[in-house]
């Protein structure tokens, strides 16, 4: 069987497997075919089921996700590991070193784009400071390598957020916010968990960054949230509270589609404003976030051209809290549907990667969450029809926990 150079691996497997077979008698006895793809210096092999339709082989027949190839998961893991060691991350594009004279003396600068279309520069050191120049050259080289890796992973189906998201999260990461206890939640957390588990699913898109903290951040000094957002160079403005006398809990970029950053915290009722002295800011209360944010896990998010270390809620708890949230979206059916789809997709992934976490997370959930999940039993069975293992785990949870 001839190789298909230049065609993406999985796509090549699907196309070759769907081509007419010259030896029908031999092919009829085969259940699987081995398909090869050659790229420079490498050859990959992939088994495809010849008895399935093209839709079934491409994951479009009720399946919520497809697993990444081991080689690509390893590529992501290496990028993540090296990014953890590269702290602090360079904000913006990698940039270049530029020598400039000022008042008769020459200095090295890193010239880069801090945000799309906005050039910036950072002083590196004097012309004769070889150590400072070498260190910055090494950091730039790593940033260039990381950007190439992220671009490659995006083409392979990994979830990648946009450059504005990257700029915000890099600033928070470099200031130690995530190490101190800040947690990324919402759709971006879902995207990050898909990458962590090597799952290809429907691409998620969001114009919101949802940040949460369960308790006071472990920082030597307060981290002023609004000043941190201004330090990104993006033109964030505070979103007025409602009513207007209430403190703001979010910032937003101009325009209808402008990026919005919300700060959330455990509390009731939903939307109540909570003062956060450690951030010199306020947060919106979200019921049962204390459950969601218990023992967050270290992870990373691909965004722009960077891999950003941060903290995420436990994946199984995210599943059940999203299912609960889907029942609270009064007047927003499209958001409820999105929450439910993300929850069942992540649940199906967990059944393959960490099946024991789901029953444990369900058992630890507050009664209101367990009831909200059980109330969707029929819809969940239908959504998980192609993933019977996940459906069985949910059924066992309902029987034991209700």
């Amino acid at each position: 069987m001839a190789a298909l150079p230049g065609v993406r691996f999985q796509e090549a497997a699907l196309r070759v497997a769907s081509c007419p077979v010259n030896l029908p008698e031999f092919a009829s006895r085969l259940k699987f075919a081995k398909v090869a793809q050659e790229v420079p210096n490498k050859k990959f092999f992939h088994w495809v089921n010849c008895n399935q339709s093209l839709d079934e082989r491409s994951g479009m027949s009720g399946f919520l996700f497809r697993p990444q190839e081991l080689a690509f998961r390893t590529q992501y893991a290496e990028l993540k590991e090296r990014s953890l060691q590269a702290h602090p991350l360079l904000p913006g594009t990698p940039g270049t070193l530029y020598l400039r004279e000022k008042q008769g003396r020459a200095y090295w600068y890193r010239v880069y784009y801090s945000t799309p279309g906005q050039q910036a520069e950072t002083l590196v050191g004097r012309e004769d400071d070889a150590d400072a120049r070498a260190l910055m050259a090494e950091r730039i080289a790593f940033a260039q390598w990381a950007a190439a890796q992220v671009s490659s992973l995006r083409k392979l189906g990994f979830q990648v957020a946009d450059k504005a998201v990257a700029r915000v999260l890099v600033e928070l990461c470099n200031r130690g916010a995530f190490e101190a206890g800040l947690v990324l939640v919402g759709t971006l957390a879902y995207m990050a968990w898909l990458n962590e588990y090597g799952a290809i699913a429907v691409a998620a898109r969001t114009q919101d960054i949802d940040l949460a903290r369960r308790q006071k951040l472990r920082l030597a000094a307060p981290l002023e949230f609004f000043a941190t957002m201004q330090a990104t160079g993006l033109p964030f403005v505070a979103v007025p509270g409602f009513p207007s006398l209430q403190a703001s809990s979010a910032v937003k970029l101009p325009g209808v589609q402008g990026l919005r950053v919300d700060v959330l915290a455990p509390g009731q009722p939903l939307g109540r404003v909570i003062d956060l002295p450690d951030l010199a800011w306020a947060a919106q209360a979200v019921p049962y976030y204390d459950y969601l944010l218990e023992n967050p896990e270290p992870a990373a998010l691909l965004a722009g051209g960077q891999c950003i270390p941060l903290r995420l809620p436990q994946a199984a708890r995210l599943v059940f809290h999203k299912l609960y949230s889907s029942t609270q979206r009064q007047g927003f059916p499209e958001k409820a549907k999105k929450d439910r789809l993300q929850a069942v997709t992540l649940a199906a992934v967990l059944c393959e990667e960490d099946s024991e976490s789901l029953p444990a997370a369900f058992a630890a959930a507050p009664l209101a969450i367990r009831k909200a999940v059980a109330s969707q039993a029929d819809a969940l069975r239908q959504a998980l029809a192609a993933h019977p293992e996940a459906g069985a785990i949910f059924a066992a949870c309902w029987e034991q926990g209700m």
Side-chain angles (χ1 to χ4, degrees):
M1 187 175 291
L4 297 179
V7 180
R8 211 171 89 186
F9 169 58
Q10 291 167 336
E11 293 176 349
L14 294 175
R15 292 180 187 178
V16 173
S18 61
C19 290
V21 180
N22 295 327
L23 300 173
E25 181 179 354
F26 177 70
S28 66
R29 299 199 305 269
L30 286 179
K31 216 171 184 183
F32 296 90
K34 197 174 187 180
V35 181
Q37 183 219 357
E38 291 183 356
V39 296
N41 303 321
K42 291 184 180 180
K43 178 180 285 189
F44 297 104
F45 292 94
H46 183 56
W47 290 99
V48 295
N49 189 338
C50 295
N51 293 336
Q52 291 179 328
S53 68
L54 182 61
D55 282 346
E56 289 173 330
R57 289 197 300 270
S58 63
M60 300 301 292
S61 184
F63 290 96
L64 296 169
F65 77 98
R66 291 182 292 120
Q68 288 279 6
E69 298 296 327
L70 179 59
F72 304 148
R73 295 187 66 173
T74 302
Q75 181 181 351
Y76 169 78
E78 180 185 1
L79 171 61
K80 177 184 171 183
E81 181 179 0
R82 291 186 60 180
S83 296
L84 287 169
Q85 299 169 355
H87 185 80
L89 299 173
L90 290 179
T93 60
T96 58
L97 285 168
Y98 182 78
L99 188 64
R100 176 178 299 145
E101 289 192 10
K102 281 189 176 182
Q103 298 179 349
R105 296 189 178 187
Y107 296 88
W108 286 106
Y109 289 84
R110 170 183 169 242
V111 180
Y112 64 102
Y113 285 93
S114 59
T115 58
Q118 183 175 343
Q119 186 170 300
E121 59 182 39
T122 302
L123 176 65
V124 175
R126 299 188 308 271
E127 181 182 14
D128 59 355
D129 192 341
D131 291 342
R133 181 181 182 278
L135 177 60
M136 181 55 71
E138 182 179 346
R139 295 178 66 192
I140 289 174
F142 170 77
Q144 291 170 338
W145 175 82
Q149 296 299 306
V150 173
S151 177
S152 172
L153 291 171
R154 182 198 296 269
K155 296 172 184 176
L156 294 169
F158 282 79
Q159 304 279 329
V160 182
D162 64 23
K163 294 179 181 178
V165 171
R167 186 65 191 90
V168 170
L169 297 182
V170 165
E171 192 67 32
L172 289 166
C173 175
N174 287 347
R175 293 181 180 227
F178 296 114
E179 288 186 0
L182 197 67
V183 180
L184 180 70
V185 296
T187 294
L188 291 175
Y190 163 75
M191 293 168 60
W193 273 124
L194 290 180
N195 292 342
E196 292 286 323
Y197 285 121
I200 304 173
V202 175
R205 290 291 178 267
T206 181
Q207 292 298 317
D208 296 323
I209 299 177
D210 294 327
L211 303 167
R213 71 106 161 106
R214 190 172 188 263
Q215 54 199 10
K216 184 178 179 180
L217 297 184
R218 300 182 297 275
L219 290 168
L223 175 68
E224 294 189 9
F225 175 76
F226 190 63
T228 302
M229 295 299 100
Q230 290 180 315
T232 64
L234 295 167
F236 281 113
V237 295
V239 177
F242 184 80
S244 58
L245 295 178
Q246 288 189 336
S248 175
S249 61
V251 295
K252 187 180 180 302
L253 293 179
V256 177
Q257 298 297 322
L259 178 68
R260 177 179 172 126
V261 185
D262 284 276
V263 180
L264 310 170
Q268 296 195 38
L270 177 66
R272 178 171 67 90
V273 175
I274 301 173
D275 186 41
L276 303 181
D278 50 322
L279 291 174
W281 196 247
Q284 280 197 40
V286 181
Y288 309 115
Y289 252 36
D290 48 348
Y291 160 78
L292 176 66
L293 299 176
E294 184 174 348
N295 297 324
E297 299 187 21
L301 178 73
L302 302 180
Q306 294 171 307
C307 178
I308 306 160
L310 38 71
R311 292 188 179 273
L312 301 175
Q314 295 178 32
R317 292 189 178 221
L318 183 61
V319 167
F320 292 119
H321 198 279
K322 276 194 167 289
L323 288 174
Y324 165 78
S325 297
S326 71
T327 66
Q328 308 300 305
R329 300 280 197 179
Q330 305 298 330
F332 298 95
E334 69 287 347
K335 291 186 177 181
K337 184 178 179 181
K338 182 189 73 171
D339 282 339
R340 191 177 298 111
L341 176 60
Q342 292 180 1
V344 295
T345 301
L346 190 53
V349 173
L350 284 171
C351 283
E352 299 289 336
E353 300 289 337
D354 187 13
S355 60
E356 294 181 357
S357 65
L358 286 168
F362 186 80
L367 180 60
I369 289 183
R370 298 201 304 269
K371 286 184 175 179
V373 174
S375 70
Q376 304 175 70
D378 292 340
L380 294 177
R381 288 192 192 97
Q382 183 177 357
L384 292 167
H387 302 273
E389 298 87 352
I393 288 178
F394 271 93
C397 288
W398 298 324
E399 291 177 2
Q400 296 176 10
M402 297 302 299

